[in-house]
């Protein structure tokens, strides 16, 4: 079964405490991407990766980092989280944008 | 830049009613158009897509036609069910350019018995 998994699903943390949200896919897709979903704004792309060791900024990359050391994993790193990064985060994987598979989401609260 | 505009929600319908969710877009060139659905507590799933003008995407009783002249991709279903209650997102993408999906803000659909 095609699957994108994210961990953790829920996270409450404090300002400035570094955190990592993991994303893993079992479909061997080259393309992976991170989005954040906020009320009234829809989904906005944070970072994307076209292949191993190839990453680039999306529309809202400030305050985030990513890495793509292996094809299946694409972690999202918040070095110093702030309250404005409280959001619902989705990882996606696909051959291309035509058919992306989304993970179940990670709800992050930064206090 | 690209943008997608969807009708505001929530949309509340009775079971077996006809559904239309409006979507218009602004983009250069010839984007591909998509509808994604998000059921409560889940990630987004691709519902249907259309890759060129006049194409009709369809799936699970839902349909949408790519209208380049009106830059629209309205979602329709002839008879909704309670199980269709979800948030629906219209989106577009260009080949290349990071393959980014540009989403609308989403429209929540509630279907009641």
């Amino acid at each position: 079964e095609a699957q994108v998994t994210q961990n953790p699903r829920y996270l409450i943390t404090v300002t400035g405490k570094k955190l990592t949200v993991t994303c893993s896919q079992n479909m061997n897709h080259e393309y992976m991407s991170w989005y954040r979903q906020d009320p009234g704004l829809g989904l906005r792309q944070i970072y994307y990766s076209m292949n191993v060791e190839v990453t680039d900024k999306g529309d809202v990359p400030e305050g985030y980092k990513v890495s793509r050391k292996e094809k299946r994993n694409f972690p999202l790193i918040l070095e110093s989280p702030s309250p404005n990064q409280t959001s619902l985060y989705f990882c996606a994987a696909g051959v291309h944008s035509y058919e992306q598979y989304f993970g179940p989401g990670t709800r992050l609260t930064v206090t | 830049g690209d943008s997608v505009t969807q009708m505001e929600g929530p949309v509340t319908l009775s079971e077996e009613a006809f559904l239309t969710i409006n979507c218009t877009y602004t983009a250069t060139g010839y984007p591909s158009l998509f509808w994604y659905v998000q059921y409560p507590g889940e990630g987004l799933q691709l519902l249907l897509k259309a890759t060129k003008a006049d194409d009709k995407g369809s799936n699970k009783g839902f349909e949408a036609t790519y209208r380049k002249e009106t830059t629209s991709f309205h979602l329709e279903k002839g008879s909704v069910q309670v199980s269709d209650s979800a948030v629906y997102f219209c989106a577009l993408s260009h080949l290349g350019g990071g393959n980014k999906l540009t989403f609308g803000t989403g429209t929540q659909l509630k279907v009641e018995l």
Side-chain angles (χ1 to χ4, degrees):
Chain A
E1 181 193 352
Q3 204 168 22
V4 177
T5 57
Q6 296 179 224
N7 282 291
R9 294 289 312 277
Y10 303 91
L11 179 60
I12 301 173
T13 190
V14 296
T15 299
K17 186 176 181 182
K18 180 179 179 179
L19 66 92
T20 299
V21 183
T22 65
C23 173
S24 182
Q25 52 117 346
N26 65 358
M27 299 167 284
N28 204 37
H29 287 327
E30 293 180 346
Y31 179 82
M32 296 186 75
S33 141
W34 277 102
Y35 293 85
R36 61 178 287 174
Q37 183 180 11
D38 300 291
L41 296 175
L43 281 84
R44 295 175 292 168
Q45 191 183 55
I46 303 170
Y47 268 94
Y48 65 94
S49 171
M50 302 290 277
N51 212 329
V52 175
E53 301 292 0
V54 180
T55 64
D56 209 345
K57 297 176 181 178
D59 292 324
V60 288
E62 294 77 21
Y64 304 95
K65 286 175 57 177
V66 292
S67 70
R68 189 88 182 275
K69 292 184 170 51
E70 3 167 44
K71 204 170 192 178
R72 63 180 291 122
N73 296 323
F74 190 46
L76 179 69
I77 303 155
L78 284 71
E79 296 268 2
S80 182
S82 62
N84 65 11
Q85 293 179 296
T86 293
S87 188
L88 180 57
Y89 292 87
F90 289 100
C91 180
V95 175
H96 44 56
S97 62
Y98 281 20
E99 190 147 352
Q100 292 190 39
Y101 294 89
F102 282 78
T106 295
R107 187 167 292 282
L108 172 65
T109 302
V110 184
T111 60
Chain B
D2 296 344
S3 67
V4 176
T5 302
Q6 291 181 234
M7 60 190 290
E8 295 268 341
V11 174
T12 303
L13 296 173
S14 299
E15 202 170 44
E16 299 184 1
F18 184 86
L19 168 71
T20 300
I21 299 178
N22 290 337
C23 171
T24 57
Y25 68 90
T26 301
T28 55
Y30 300 91
S32 295
L33 302 174
F34 309 86
W35 278 100
Y36 277 81
V37 59
Q38 184 180 30
Y39 297 104
E42 297 184 12
L44 279 73
Q45 302 173 27
L46 178 65
L47 180 60
L48 53 85
K49 64 179 185 277
T51 58
K52 60 183 188 296
D54 299 324
D55 265 3
K56 178 187 281 188
S58 61
N59 187 25
K60 299 181 181 180
F62 291 89
E63 293 183 339
T65 301
Y66 188 161
R67 302 284 189 203
K68 187 161 176 59
E69 63 276 12
T70 54
T71 62
S72 64
F73 193 55
H74 305 321
L75 182 68
E76 297 182 335
K77 186 175 185 184
S79 176
V80 294
Q81 306 300 312
V82 172
S83 58
D84 293 325
S85 298
V87 180
Y88 292 81
F89 291 90
C90 186
L92 68 81
S93 179
H94 293 278
L95 269 178
N99 292 318
K100 181 183 71 174
L101 281 164
T102 298
F103 287 91
T105 54
T107 301
Q108 183 173 16
L109 171 65
K110 298 180 182 177
V111 181
E112 301 172 336
L113 289 171

